[in-house]
Amino acid sequence: FRLPTATEWETERTSWGSNDSAGAYASPLKLVVAGYRHHSDGAIVNADSFGYYWSSTVDGSLSRYLVFDSGDAYMISYNRASGFSVRCLKD
């Protein structure tokens, strides 16, 4: 098993009926807005508002991830020590 690449997440995101959390949940993956654990103190951030899903794509000292909320979905980079959700692909 492995994490999807940023390109694989982009392909998934563009298949959704809408480019937001409703589209993420309506997809076959049923992605949810779980928030994340902050890298500095472990606090839960944006639960029930944003979904954050790691990719395997590294961007310097950061990593790429998929983020979505009720208004948008896109890929961006962030600190790898943060506790984002993962979805694994079977090789």
Side-chain angles (χ1 to χ4, degrees):
F1 290 90
R2 65 177 178 81
L3 289 179
T5 65
T7 302
E8 288 169 329
W9 270 128
E10 273 294 302
T11 300
E12 169 62 23
R13 183 187 63 78
T14 59
S15 74
W16 300 346
S18 61
N19 191 46
D20 56 18
S21 57
Y25 188 74
S27 78
L29 296 178
K30 297 290 186 217
L31 301 173
V32 297
V33 287
Y36 73 98
R37 291 271 184 178
H38 196 271
H39 63 273
S40 66
D41 61 5
I44 297 173
V45 180
N46 293 330
D48 297 325
S49 299
F50 285 80
Y52 303 87
Y53 289 82
W54 281 126
S55 78
S56 62
T57 304
V58 175
D59 182 14
S61 64
L62 309 174
S63 284
R64 303 284 293 163
Y65 67 96
L66 170 67
V67 59
F68 51 85
D69 65 4
S70 62
D72 204 5
Y74 51 91
M75 297 294 300
I76 195 165
S77 299
Y78 197 63
N79 187 315
R80 284 185 246 172
S82 297
F84 292 176
S85 299
V86 296
R87 283 293 178 100
C88 295
L89 298 176
K90 187 175 182 181
D91 278 338

